[in-house]
């Protein structure tokens, strides 16, 4: 499994107010999309999320998003290492993702850029 990098997940009350700060901080414009009633803005290494409290409660449990070359390969490797697969792989606007609980209890999202 090849890890390409990580994205920090940030839940915010007001996405419109938060985006300009992160755009200036990262020096790049936000890529925006919506998923499951949650508004999302990807800005550099930050993934800003805003939406219903119930949805954000679930999202806050995921420590970070880890980019990999292939989610299927990550699924095999993580399974061999004793990780619990919580959800996925499923298609997302950016590729495919997988939610996994590591043996230490930490929860991560793994994503690739492959079309579904």
């Amino acid at each position: 499994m090849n890890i390409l990098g990580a994205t920090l997940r940030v839940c915010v009350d007001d996405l419109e107010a938060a985006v300009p700060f992160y755009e200036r901080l990262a020096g790049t414009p936000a890529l925006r999309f919506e998923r499951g009633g949650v508004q999302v803005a990807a800005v550099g290494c930050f993934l800003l999320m805003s939406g219903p409290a119930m949805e954000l409660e679930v999202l806050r449990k995921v420590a970070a998003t880890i980019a990999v070359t292939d989610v299927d390969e990550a699924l095999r490797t993580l399974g061999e290492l004793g990780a619990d697969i919580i959800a996925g792989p499923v298609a997302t606007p950016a590729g495919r993702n997988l939610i996994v609980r590591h043996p230490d209890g930490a929860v991560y999202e793994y994503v690739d850029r492959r079309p579904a």
Side-chain angles (χ1 to χ4, degrees), residues 67-78:
V68 295
T69 52
D70 184 353
V71 162
D72 294 325
E73 181 182 359
L75 176 65
R76 285 189 300 276
T77 300
L78 290 159

Side-chain angles (χ1 to χ4, degrees), residues 48 80 88:
L48 309 177
E80 291 168 4

Side-chain angles (χ1 to χ4, degrees), residues 12-78:
V12 299
D13 292 330
D14 184 344
L15 191 67
E16 295 309 313
V19 165
F21 170 83
Y22 284 93
E23 285 179 328
R24 292 216 36 215
L25 181 65
T28 185
L31 170 63
R32 296 171 183 246
F33 58 94
E34 180 183 342
R35 181 149 187 231
V38 175
Q39 297 297 315
V40 180
V43 189
C45 67
F46 300 98
L47 188 64
L48 309 177
M49 299 172 286
S50 183
M54 297 275 296
E55 296 293 329
L56 293 181
E57 182 179 327
V58 172
L59 295 172
R60 283 187 174 100
K61 294 177 182 178
V62 179
T65 298
I66 300 170
V68 295
T69 52
D70 184 353
V71 162
D72 294 325
E73 181 182 359
L75 176 65
R76 285 189 300 276
T77 300
L78 290 159

